[in-house]
């Protein structure tokens, strides 16, 4: 009926006398209007598909490789590319102990090419194209070159129907999987700056610009590794992403959160402090706004700057607030670069937090001093003081000020900042309708209730605790909480007042649980008070974990059970609080069978040493399998055998470095070892399910709980001695061979043999060499697993095969390389 009415309108009009008549011009104008409306509707639909994005046509890859080029036989390369693109879920940034679910980015259709020879099927498809369903098309041509190591390649093209243009590039890799991964990353990084996902963090700054594929791939890998618990490798990828996009506050915040989870609080503090001015302020302006509360109107003109830096500022206040851990590492110089990190951080801390020295006590810090003298006093405290309690109080005062300013800015933003942006986004929804770009963005990562809890209870409570540790019963004017007169009812009233008008979200409940847990330090000898506080803390933890909202997020088990310093009193063994906490963990995380068997004090050090222990176990399994596979070879090129020993020598050198307790904070050595094995021991390292292990072991992987930290230290210390440098022979001492020294000498012998014209090693030599190294790795694994004692490994390490040279022998004058 609507079509008939439209047809009647095109051909007939009604004049004033009631006669039906239609002029040619009126018909023509009406027809043009209808066509224009149809075109605008068609254009708007296509623009929305381009912005969404809608379905993407991935065409069949063309093969331009020479005949006989090896390709995967189990699955088509086009299917692999489609799978890579369909699995490209976008990971939203997070600076909280929870992971938001990833969002799907692409919808794939596959090959929808029209065959002009089949008219019966071509016409329906052609008519279907009148209603746009596609916005982008992806095509590719696979190639091959003889240049090693990147022999496999693909020329990939992305065509945009809306913009009427296309982009193409050629990527190369060591195998087809590497090529598919790089091609997929390039396609997604091409579409991100022109689609809706590019408007969301952390890619907002790249809207309308060329996004580097290396940046996107590094960020995605970092998120995947972090979710898998492999924080060491994730940390390396985050540093790569930050290097490629140094002004991105979201990347800095996630880097700091990963460092904090690894127990690297000083490094996390350094990351946060150096990123606080990414919203355009210099250090002086930031300090003025922090202590005087000025310059808020600047966020009205730049609302995104406020939202972009909100999570980073919150992470900075938390790191400063957990001052009992931060101060201990500060005094001991426990950072990646030791005391140098602290020395480089002192000028920033002094410039921003020098007002904290007022009221610290002593003749050198009183209110009558000028600003320069106060800065010098704080510099002296941070640089020369060895009192953990004094350093802790400085950090706690800085945290209180940061928390107060954050809460004040949030309250101001909800009245003057968020509403205008929302209204503007609603207005933009209607024009231009063909290409709506939302400016509203995601919700703030920290809720109003969480801010109020931290401002009114958590930060003052921690300041009262730090002040009590520093000057005893003296109450600090900055804190409104009395540490000595703390009661459950008073704390409950304060929390209830702070959480008023909040949505009861998971972060508000989680912060309330943290406040109750921190209060357990007040009167540790009062069993009744401890039990009441523990019950309250566990109650709010249950609400936090089980609260489901519009964006469901679950507090990560690793953070809650092991890492959060606020919840340390709930982890103390053989207490009523720990019984309640264990019961909650078994309820919230049903897979959890057992918790750690040692106190969380110094947990990060024990955690790193246990990770080294488990990493060595997995390396031993991988290398044993590698040498067993090599022993089955009939003969080997001497250059290949030389490379075997070179890799072996470097792996033993890495093992000696990470087993040394002096290097336990050098996370780069662990990552370098993992990357080295992944690069040189393929495909065995990729097929090994336990390599590399996560930083925190899964319950299924360690059903008997963690090992004794003292036993781990003794074992790694013994391994360090065994892998020590070979002593030079003397009259009273014989040189002690090690796998490192034998590999080094064998490498030199093979190099000399190659120079003499020896081309290959026979099967007998390969078998003897491989069996000896496999035995050394097997006994190392057995020793670490506790199946044998130390002496079998020490004996196997000293009897690692050593290559020797003999004079020419045999009828053909060939040089042999016997064991």
């Amino acid at each position: 009926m609507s079509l008939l009415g439209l047809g009647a309108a095109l051909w007939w009009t009604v004049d004033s006398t009631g006669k039906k008549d239609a002029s040619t011009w009126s018909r023509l104008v009406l027809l043009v209007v209808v066509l224009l409306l149809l075109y605008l509707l068609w254009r708007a639909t296509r623009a929305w598909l381009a912005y969404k994005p809608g379905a993407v046509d991935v065409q069949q890859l063309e093969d331009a490789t020479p005949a006989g080029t090896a390709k995967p036989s189990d699955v088509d390369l086009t299917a692999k590319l489609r799978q890579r693109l369909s699995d490209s879920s976008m990971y939203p940034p997070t600076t909280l102990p929870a992971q938001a679910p990833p969002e799907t980015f692409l919808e794939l259709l596959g090959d929808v090419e029209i065959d002009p020879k089949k008219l019966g099927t071509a016409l329906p498809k052609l008519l279907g194209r009148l209603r746009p369903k596609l916005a982008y098309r992806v095509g590719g041509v696979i190639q091959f070159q003889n240049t090693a190591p990147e022999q496999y390649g693909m020329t990939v093209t992305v065509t945009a129907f809306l913009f009427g243009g296309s982009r193409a590039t050629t990527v190369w890799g060591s195998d087809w999987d590497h090529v598919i991964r790089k091609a997929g990353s390039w396609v997604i990084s091409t579409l991100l700056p022109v689609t809706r996902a590019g408007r969301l963090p952390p890619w907002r700054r790249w809207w309308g610009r060329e996004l580097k594929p290396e940046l996107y791939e590094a960020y995605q890998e970092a998120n995947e590794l972090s979710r898998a618990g492999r924080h060491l490798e994730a940390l390396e990828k985050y540093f790569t992403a930050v290097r490629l996009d140094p002004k991105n506050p979201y990347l800095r915040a996630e880097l700091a959160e990963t460092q904090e989870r690894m127990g690297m609080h000083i490094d996390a503090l350094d990351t946060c402090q150096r990123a606080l001015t990414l919203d355009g302020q210099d250090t002086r302006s930031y300090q003025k706004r922090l202590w005087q509360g000025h310059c808020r109107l600047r966020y009205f003109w730049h609302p995104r700057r406020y939202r972009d830096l909100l999570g980073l500022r919150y992470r900075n206040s938390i790191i400063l607030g957990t001052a009992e851990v931060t101060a201990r590492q500060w005094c001991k110089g426990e950072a990646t670069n030791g005391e140098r990190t602290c020395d480089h951080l002192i000028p920033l801390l002094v410039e921003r937090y020098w007002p904290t020295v007022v009221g610290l006590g002593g003749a050198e810090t009183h209110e009558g001093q000028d600003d320069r003298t106060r800065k010098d006093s704080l510099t002296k405290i941070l640089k020369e003081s060895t009192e953990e309690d004094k350093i802790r109080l400085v950090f706690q005062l800085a945290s209180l000020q940061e928390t107060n300013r954050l809460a004040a800015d949030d309250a101001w933003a909800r009245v003057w900042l968020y509403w205008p942006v929302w209204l503007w986004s609603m207005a933009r929804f209607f024009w231009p309708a063909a290409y709506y770009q939302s400016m509203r963005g995601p919700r703030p990562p920290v809720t109003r209730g969480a801010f109020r809890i931290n401002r009114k209870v958590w930060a003052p409570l921690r300041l009262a605790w730090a002040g009590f540790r520093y000057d005893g019963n003296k109450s600090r004017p900055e804190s409104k909480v009395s540490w000595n007169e703390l009661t459950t009812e008073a704390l409950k009233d304060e929390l209830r007042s702070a959480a008023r008008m909040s949505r009861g979200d998971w972060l508000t409940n989680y912060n309330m649980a943290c406040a109750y847990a921190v209060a357990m330090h007040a009167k540790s000898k009062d069993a009744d008070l401890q039990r009441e506080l523990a019950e309250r803390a566990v109650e709010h933890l249950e609400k936090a974990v089980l609260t489901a909202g519009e964006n469901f997020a679950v507090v990560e088990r690793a953070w809650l059970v092991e890492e959060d310093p606020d919840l340390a009193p709930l982890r103390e063994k053989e207490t009523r609080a720990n019984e309640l906490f264990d019961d909650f963990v078994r309820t919230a995380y049903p897979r959890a069978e057992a918790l750690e068997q040692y106190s969380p004090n110094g947990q990060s050090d024990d955690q790193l040493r246990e990770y080294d222990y488990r990493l060595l176990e997995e390396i031993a399994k991988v290398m044993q399998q590698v040498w067993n596979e090599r022993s089955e070879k009939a003969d080997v090129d001497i250059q290949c055998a030389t490379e075997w020993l070179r890799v072996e020598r470097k792996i033993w050198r890495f093992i000696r470095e990470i087993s040394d307790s002096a290097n336990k904070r050098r996370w780069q050595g662990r990552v370098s070892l993992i990357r080295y094995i992944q690069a040189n021991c393929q495909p065995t390292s990729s097929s090994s399910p336990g390599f590399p292990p996560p930083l925190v072991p899964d319950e299924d992987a360690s059903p008997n709980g963690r090992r004794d930290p003292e036993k781990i230290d003794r074992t790694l210390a013994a391994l360090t001695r065994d892998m020590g440098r070979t002593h030079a022979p003397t009259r009273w001492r014989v040189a002690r061979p090690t796998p490192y020294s034998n590999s080094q000498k064998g490498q030199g012998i093979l190099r000399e043999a190659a120079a003499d014209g020896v081309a290959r090693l026979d099967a007998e030599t390969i078998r003897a060499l491989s069996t000896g190294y496999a035995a050394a790795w097997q006994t190392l694994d057995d020793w670490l697993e506790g199946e044998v004692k130390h002496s079998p490994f020490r004996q196997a390490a000293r009897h690692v095969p050593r290559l020797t040279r003999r004079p020419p022998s045999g009828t053909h004058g060939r040089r042999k390389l016997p064991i």
Side-chain angles (χ1 to χ4, degrees):
M1 296 296 297
S2 60
L3 292 178
L4 293 176
L6 179 62
L10 286 174
W11 297 105
W12 298 99
T13 60
V14 180
D15 59 11
S16 59
T17 62
K19 296 181 180 180
K20 294 184 177 179
D21 188 16
S23 64
T24 304
W25 283 107
S26 61
R27 294 171 183 173
L28 183 60
V29 170
L30 186 58
L31 178 62
V32 170
V33 171
V34 171
L35 293 178
L36 181 60
L37 291 176
L38 291 176
Y39 172 77
L40 291 177
L41 178 62
W42 175 84
R43 186 76 176 181
T45 304
R46 173 161 287 186
W48 170 247
L49 289 175
Y51 181 66
K52 186 180 177 181
V56 176
D57 174 23
V58 181
Q59 296 183 311
Q60 190 73 22
L61 298 178
E62 299 180 11
D63 190 355
T65 60
T69 303
K71 302 182 185 65
S73 58
D74 56 340
V75 65
D76 184 51
L77 288 178
T78 304
K80 278 196 169 186
L81 178 60
R82 290 171 181 168
Q83 180 182 3
R84 173 70 180 176
L85 294 177
S86 64
D87 293 341
S88 60
S89 299
M90 306 303 298
Y91 292 101
T94 175
T95 57
L96 304 172
Q99 293 287 359
E103 300 176 356
T104 303
F105 180 48
L106 293 179
E107 302 173 4
L108 303 182
L109 288 183
D111 186 8
V112 295
E113 192 68 31
I114 298 177
D115 188 359
K117 296 181 181 180
K118 300 179 180 179
L119 186 61
T121 59
L123 284 178
K125 291 183 177 180
L126 184 61
L127 294 175
R129 287 291 182 89
L130 295 179
R131 179 179 180 273
K133 299 182 181 65
L134 298 175
Y136 303 100
R137 172 177 293 166
V138 177
V141 180
I142 58 175
Q143 306 175 19
F144 181 82
Q145 63 181 4
N146 293 322
T147 305
E150 295 186 340
Q151 297 179 314
Y152 305 93
M154 178 191 301
T155 299
V156 59
T157 304
V158 176
T159 303
F161 296 137
L162 173 67
F163 309 108
S166 63
R167 294 191 61 190
T169 191
T170 302
V171 295
W172 297 93
S174 56
D175 52 35
W176 289 117
D177 290 336
H178 190 198
V179 171
I180 293 296
R181 185 173 68 253
K182 293 177 69 173
S185 298
W186 182 84
V187 170
I188 299 172
S189 62
T190 300
L191 297 180
L192 263 179
V194 293
T195 56
R196 178 173 51 182
R199 284 289 184 180
L200 301 177
W203 312 114
R204 203 148 46 196
R205 291 182 61 254
W206 294 95
W207 173 260
R209 300 169 56 193
E210 184 175 354
L211 176 63
K212 301 177 182 178
E214 299 84 0
L215 172 60
Y216 167 80
E217 188 169 1
Y219 178 75
Q220 290 293 98
E221 290 184 11
N223 272 273
E224 293 173 359
L225 292 170
S226 180
R227 290 168 183 261
R230 294 159 59 179
H231 300 305
L232 285 168
E233 300 168 82
L235 197 63
E236 180 195 33
K237 293 299 180 179
Y238 276 128
F239 271 113
T240 302
V242 170
R243 177 177 54 82
L244 294 173
D245 190 6
K247 295 184 179 181
N248 194 322
Y250 293 100
L251 300 183
R252 298 283 190 102
E254 292 196 71
L255 171 62
E257 192 254 348
T258 304
Q259 291 172 322
E260 187 183 7
R261 298 190 62 177
M262 292 178 58
M264 304 164 57
H265 292 261
I266 301 300
D267 296 88
L269 180 62
D270 182 71
T271 300
C272 289
Q273 288 291 319
R274 298 188 183 282
L276 289 176
T277 57
L278 290 180
D279 61 348
Q281 301 181 85
D282 56 17
T283 303
R284 185 181 298 274
S285 299
Y286 183 87
Q287 191 271 345
K288 182 179 180 180
R289 186 197 58 79
L290 178 64
W291 293 94
Q292 300 179 8
H294 294 169
C295 305
R296 291 184 185 176
L297 288 178
R298 68 188 305 273
Y299 287 131
F300 185 81
W301 305 109
H302 306 283
R304 288 182 178 175
R305 292 183 178 181
Y306 171 77
R307 290 200 300 264
D308 289 348
L309 225 63
L310 189 62
L312 184 68
R313 292 174 61 190
Y314 181 80
R315 193 80 258 148
N316 176 64
S317 67
I318 296 299
I319 297 172
L320 289 170
T322 54
E324 70 276 11
V325 180
T326 311
R328 182 175 66 248
Q329 293 187 0
W330 183 277
C331 293
K332 294 181 179 180
E334 292 182 349
T336 300
N337 294 321
E339 295 182 355
R340 286 190 300 171
T341 304
C342 300
D343 293 338
H344 295 161
L345 193 55
I346 286 176
L348 276 177
L349 297 177
V350 170
E351 188 64 31
R352 288 171 181 164
Y353 306 118
W354 58 265
T356 59
V357 298
V358 179
L360 277 182
E364 58 183 15
T365 57
H366 56 82
E367 297 185 5
Q369 294 177 333
D370 57 6
D371 295 350
R372 183 69 264 171
T373 306
R374 293 179 184 177
K375 292 180 180 180
D376 294 340
S377 299
L378 183 56
T379 302
K380 184 177 180 180
I381 292 174
L382 294 176
K383 197 167 187 177
E384 301 178 4
S385 178
T386 58
E387 301 180 42
E388 287 187 19
D389 293 336
K390 198 169 188 177
I391 300 294
R392 175 180 174 181
L393 187 57
V394 172
F395 288 154
Q396 209 67 65
L397 289 167
S399 173
L400 179 65
Q401 188 64 24
E402 289 279 6
T403 303
N404 290 337
R405 185 54 52 215
L406 263 174
D409 288 349
D410 178 75
W412 179 87
R414 291 180 185 276
V415 176
W416 299 105
L417 185 61
Y418 293 156
W419 286 106
V421 176
W422 292 344
L423 293 175
W424 175 245
S425 295
M426 293 178 63
R428 287 289 303 273
F429 179 79
F430 298 98
W431 181 266
Y435 205 60
Y436 167 62
Q437 301 173 2
S438 175
M439 294 183 59
R440 177 175 179 177
R443 289 184 176 181
V446 188
T447 59
R448 179 186 180 186
F451 276 130
R452 289 172 60 88
I453 292 295
N454 283 7
R455 179 184 187 181
K456 292 190 174 183
V457 183
W458 180 81
L461 192 64
R462 279 191 157 275
L463 178 58
W465 181 21
F468 178 80
R469 292 292 303 270
Y470 176 65
D471 50 14
N473 296 326
K474 296 180 181 179
S475 60
R476 304 206 58 80
E478 301 88 349
S479 177
K480 300 179 181 180
V481 178
S482 176
W483 188 252
N484 292 328
E485 301 177 0
L486 187 65
T487 62
T488 306
E489 292 300 324
L491 185 60
K492 178 182 176 181
D493 293 339
E494 289 289 338
L495 289 172
R496 183 179 300 175
S497 174
R500 188 177 300 141
M501 301 297 293
S502 66
R503 298 179 301 167
D505 57 283
W506 74 269
L507 186 56
T508 300
N509 283 290
Y510 187 84
N511 287 1
M512 293 176 73
C514 291
Y516 279 117
V518 171
M520 294 177 64
H521 292 281
K523 297 181 180 180
S524 57
K525 296 181 180 180
D526 191 337
D528 293 336
L529 179 61
Q530 293 285 303
R531 179 181 55 81
E532 293 177 5
L533 292 173
E535 290 176 352
R536 293 286 183 181
V538 171
E539 177 185 353
H540 285 284
L541 284 177
E542 292 175 350
K543 293 180 180 179
V545 174
L546 301 179
T547 296
E550 182 179 353
N551 295 323
F552 181 71
V554 176
V555 184
E556 291 188 0
R557 177 192 180 275
W559 172 262
L560 189 147
V561 178
E562 303 176 4
E563 301 165 0
D564 194 343
D566 287 329
L567 304 181
L570 299 177
R571 307 188 193 106
E572 294 183 2
K573 301 300 178 180
E574 300 180 357
T575 61
R576 174 58 180 166
N578 185 248
E579 293 177 3
L580 295 172
F581 185 65
D582 286 356
D583 185 68
F584 154 73
V585 171
R586 293 187 182 95
T587 302
Y589 306 97
R591 294 176 57 195
E593 297 292 337
L595 301 180
E596 289 65 33
Q597 302 301 319
Y598 58 90
S599 172
N601 295 330
Q603 175 188 350
S604 59
D605 292 343
D606 293 333
Q607 185 178 351
L608 290 176
R609 298 306 283 167
E610 193 207 7
Y611 177 80
D612 293 338
Y613 198 92
R614 290 186 288 109
L615 178 61
L616 292 178
E617 287 179 339
E618 298 301 329
I619 291 175
K621 292 181 175 65
V622 170
M623 295 307 300
Q624 177 188 351
Q625 184 178 353
V626 167
W627 281 109
N628 286 334
E629 294 174 355
R630 291 170 178 174
S631 65
E632 300 175 357
K633 296 182 180 296
D635 61 348
V636 173
D637 182 85
I638 195 170
Q639 300 295 339
C640 180
T642 305
E643 182 66 15
W644 288 355
L645 295 182
R646 185 182 69 85
V647 172
E648 184 77 8
R649 174 176 62 86
K650 289 192 175 183
I651 291 176
W652 284 109
R653 186 185 65 184
F654 276 125
I655 288 178
R656 183 185 183 280
E657 291 177 356
I658 68 173
S659 62
D660 191 352
S661 60
N663 299 325
K664 60 186 176 183
R665 289 285 171 182
R666 300 296 179 90
W667 61 271
Q668 298 97 328
R670 301 175 180 90
V671 177
S672 299
L673 175 57
I674 292 172
R675 296 287 184 242
Y676 191 76
I677 292 179
Q678 289 175 336
N680 295 279
C681 299
Q682 292 288 358
T684 306
S685 60
S686 299
S687 60
S688 180
F691 179 84
L695 184 63
V696 179
D698 187 67
E699 306 89 57
D700 298 336
S702 55
N704 298 324
R706 288 186 171 179
R707 298 178 178 85
D708 183 9
E710 296 182 359
K711 180 180 178 181
I712 291 177
D713 290 338
R714 291 195 302 269
T715 303
L716 295 182
L719 181 60
T720 304
R721 292 192 298 269
D722 293 339
M723 294 297 103
R725 296 182 180 275
T726 304
H727 298 290
T730 63
R731 180 178 180 182
W732 308 104
R733 182 174 58 189
V734 180
R736 184 180 64 189
T738 64
Y740 174 85
S741 62
N742 285 356
S743 302
Q744 186 178 29
K745 293 178 181 179
Q747 183 182 356
I749 291 174
L750 290 180
R751 193 181 297 111
E752 294 174 0
D756 292 342
V758 178
R760 307 188 71 82
L761 296 183
D762 56 25
E764 181 180 357
T765 303
I766 295 171
R767 189 178 302 109
L769 183 68
S770 303
T771 303
Y773 278 106
W777 287 111
Q778 180 179 0
T779 53
L780 175 60
D781 184 27
D782 294 341
W783 176 38
L784 296 176
E785 291 283 356
E787 299 177 1
V788 299
K789 295 183 179 180
H790 181 203
S791 55
F793 168 71
R794 185 164 46 195
Q795 184 178 4
R798 293 179 180 179
H799 291 82
V800 170
R802 178 180 177 184
L803 297 177
T804 58
R805 295 294 306 276
R806 285 184 180 177
S809 60
T811 56
H812 300 286
R814 294 179 59 190
R815 290 184 180 272
K816 296 183 179 181
L817 299 173
I819 298 299

